[in-house]
Amino acid sequence: MGNESSDVHTILELSLARICTNMGWIGGHAVLVKPAMGERSAVRFINREAEARWREHLETEPMPTMGSSLFQGILRTGEPAWSLQSVRLQNMLTDTQVSGLAFPVIVNDELVAVLEFLSARHETPDDHLQALIQQVCNQVARVFERRRQQEELRQRALYDNLTGLPNR
């Protein structure tokens, strides 16, 4: 995936869509930690089929979100995080668990983005799932690296390295 795109938002949208669709998760979003000037700070994907099935059973709106606590956890630790939230479904006497999962995108030891997902199932990422999503995050990180390298080359071509003044 990382070799298919040079645009950060495109690769994030593609990653979210593929993961959510293949896992049957309701949706996800990616948050850029330090967006460039004028750049969108978040990208969202909703798996409409999974969301429709889920909403048929919900008693209350809106669908639960877990992004802020997971995002803050990754900002602190740089490690994948997940949490559970109880939700009451129609015709059920007990609550069911909804899972929020979040994974860091790291470039040169710097957190650049966080991929977050919402699942209607109780999910506790095992080693296989974590490794799979980490590979996706690594591919996304390559796009961030490529963008940084392109910006650096552009800077070198347009400005003098010693003085920082524009080249003629």
Side-chain angles (χ1 to χ4, degrees):
M1 269 189 312
N3 293 325
E4 296 174 11
S5 176
S6 61
D7 176 56
V8 169
H9 291 93
T10 300
I11 192 68
L12 290 172
E13 289 169 355
L14 180 63
S15 299
L16 293 172
R18 285 187 179 174
I19 291 170
C20 289
T21 301
N22 288 327
M23 296 301 296
W25 291 343
I26 296 170
H29 70 276
V31 180
L32 302 181
V33 175
K34 296 178 187 172
M37 183 75 92
E39 184 176 47
R40 290 183 295 161
S41 62
V43 175
R44 297 185 188 284
F45 174 79
I46 302 294
N47 183 344
R48 297 294 178 199
E49 185 178 312
E51 180 193 34
R53 285 193 312 267
W54 176 246
R55 286 196 185 274
E56 289 175 7
H57 302 290
L58 276 179
E59 279 186 353
T60 60
E61 297 289 339
M63 204 170 6
T65 60
M66 300 183 199
S68 61
S69 63
L70 291 175
F71 181 77
Q72 294 302 321
I74 287 184
L75 284 178
R76 282 192 310 276
T77 67
E79 297 293 325
W82 54 91
S83 65
L84 298 174
Q85 181 175 344
S86 293
V87 176
R88 181 67 54 120
L89 299 179
Q90 289 181 1
N91 304 322
M92 300 291 251
L93 298 175
T94 60
D95 291 347
T96 189
Q97 298 290 316
V98 181
S99 300
L101 304 98
F103 299 87
V105 177
I106 298 173
V107 176
N108 298 328
D109 296 327
E110 178 187 353
L111 180 66
V112 295
V114 175
L115 301 182
E116 297 179 321
F117 303 96
L118 180 66
S119 172
R121 299 183 303 267
H122 173 74
E123 303 274 357
T124 304
D126 58 16
D127 290 341
H128 178 71
L129 178 60
Q130 287 190 48
L132 177 71
I133 295 182
Q134 189 57 54
Q135 281 300 318
V136 172
C137 290
N138 292 343
Q139 292 297 311
V140 170
R142 292 182 71 193
V143 175
F144 278 91
E145 286 176 317
R146 188 168 32 253
R147 182 175 78 169
R148 284 183 179 174
Q149 291 168 351
Q150 289 169 345
E151 289 171 4
E152 186 177 311
L153 284 173
R154 185 178 150 283
Q155 180 73 17
R156 286 183 185 173
L158 298 176
Y159 296 92
D160 182 77
N161 286 341
L162 286 175
T163 64
L165 295 173
N167 288 331
R168 298 185 215 191

